[in-house]
Amino acid sequence: MWKSNNIETNAIHGGKPSQGEHGPLSTPIYQTSTFVFDDVQQGADRFAGDTHGHIYSRLGNPTVDELEARMAILEETEAAAAFGSGMGAVSAAVFGLLKAGDHLITSHRLYGCTFALFSHQLPALGIEVSFVDLADEQKLRAAIQPNTKVIYGETPINPCLTVIDLDVIGAIGRERGITTIIDNTFLSPILQRPATHGIDLVLHSATKYLNGHGDVVAGILCGSRELVDQIKMTTRKDMGAVISPNDAWLIIRGLKTLHLRVQRHCENAQRVAEYLQGHSAIAKIYYPGLPDHPGYRLLGSQMQGAGGVMAFELQCSFEQAVAFINQLQLCKRAVSLGDAETLIQHPASMTHSTYEPEELAAAGISRTLIRLAVGLENAEDILADLDQALATIA
Ligand code: PLP
């Protein structure tokens, strides 16, 4: 299998199997649920793992295989597993690695459904969960218990863009024999590759930048062959959050332009962040591309760019913040990120609506906090739309 030293080239060619009979440029979509065996022995050998070959698409499919091979190359890991959603990847990872009596360390600052899974579903099954500030090494070390099996984080973190130091998390994991998982959705492998900082499993909601066109829900997990195979053959196989071959194909297509799209998302977001920072209606802005953001120090080392997502608080009442969002015309009121369209949402009533008021406070989410996922439009048009809507609350 061909591999370059350049991520842009690997995003286009990486993981492609040899040409096959017809030599298609575009990967074929193997739209099949099952695979035919020549005879009983061949079926038995495949089930026993004695020979390679597909069995049934919940266990593996050639189109999905290509997506997984390409993602492993991009994230610089040995292997990858694709899922039917980002949450499918999160739950397959934690249910595959944890059992009753084990302990997970994470942060209050998480994507809302990941937080719901960790704060409600895991404890109900006897798995202990501690929420600590993962950006604080001392607090993280103090939270480790003899039964700690997993440290799970996002960086930059939903929705205030807090950045955690991956070298610190990776080093603690290795030193203490704890599996580390990082959700890399916000930056994509173009801007950040957690495995190169010693992280064991890298997770994506592939719904976002990887696909990039707002038409697929999917997830990816990248890591060592051993960990990925373990998850594929237990929780992915038995809980069944598999991706369809058609959706895998759409993500393979999305990956071909990932580097161009991410570059433009970053350029547009930087323009928007600088504009908002200078606007009198803005009380606070969170974007790691601005020098006064604490995550800025890791730009150029851990992160090769600040990404396309930012959050800000308006200097106004809750009702005025809602009126501002409703006034926007180009920017679409929608959750998600990483799409061509600029998307705006209100975390307290949308992505983080499962949080109790004290949990919102712990995660730094006020009622006037707004999240903006800057798209690929001409930056002038995005600025003009924000400007006209801000004028209504001035
Ligand atoms: N992780 C992050 C950072 C997210 O933003 C999301 C969804 O918004 C998820 C995971 C869950 O992904 P999905 O919606 O594809 O299940």
Side-chain angles (χ1 to χ4, degrees), residues 84-88 90 111 113-114 152 154 158 183 185-186 203-208 217-219 336-337 351 371:
S85 69
M87 286 314 300
V90 178
Y111 168 60
C113 294
T114 308
Y152 184 105
E154 295 175 18
N158 241 314
D183 182 331
T185 301
F186 270 39
L203 194 143
H204 284 275
S205 166
T207 314
K208 312 298 183 328
V217 173
S336 204
L337 53 114
T351 46
R371 189 182 82 184

Side-chain angles (χ1 to χ4, degrees), residues 112 158-160 310-312 325 335 344-355 360 364-372:
N158 241 314
C160 295
M310 68 192 66
F312 53 93
I325 298 174
V335 295
I344 192 155
Q345 67 113 348
H346 181 241
S349 53
M350 297 176 189
T351 46
H352 293 72
S353 55
T354 56
Y355 281 46
L360 283 176
I365 302 172
S366 75
R367 290 185 80 217
T368 56
L369 185 81
I370 293 167
R371 189 182 82 184
L372 187 68

Side-chain angles (χ1 to χ4, degrees), residues 23 25 31 40 43 45 55 73 75 80 127 177 211 250 268 280-281 291 295 305 318 325 363 368 374-375 377:
L25 176 68
Q31 191 74 34
V40 171
D45 289 345
I55 296 174
I73 291 173
E75 282 292 1
I127 297 165
N211 177 55
L250 284 166
N268 278 358
S280 58
F318 168 70
I325 298 174
T368 56
V374 179
E377 302 93 339

Side-chain angles (χ1 to χ4, degrees), residues 36 49 53 78 86 117-118 121 133 143 156 167 192 234 248 259 274 282 285-286 288 321 331 334 367 385-386:
V36 178
E78 287 173 2
L117 178 75
F118 292 174
Q121 316 302 340
D133 178 1
D167 285 328
Q192 176 171 275
T234 56
H259 58 291
E274 285 168 10
I282 305 295
I285 171 146
Y286 306 91
C331 304
R367 290 185 80 217
D385 194 28
L386 291 169

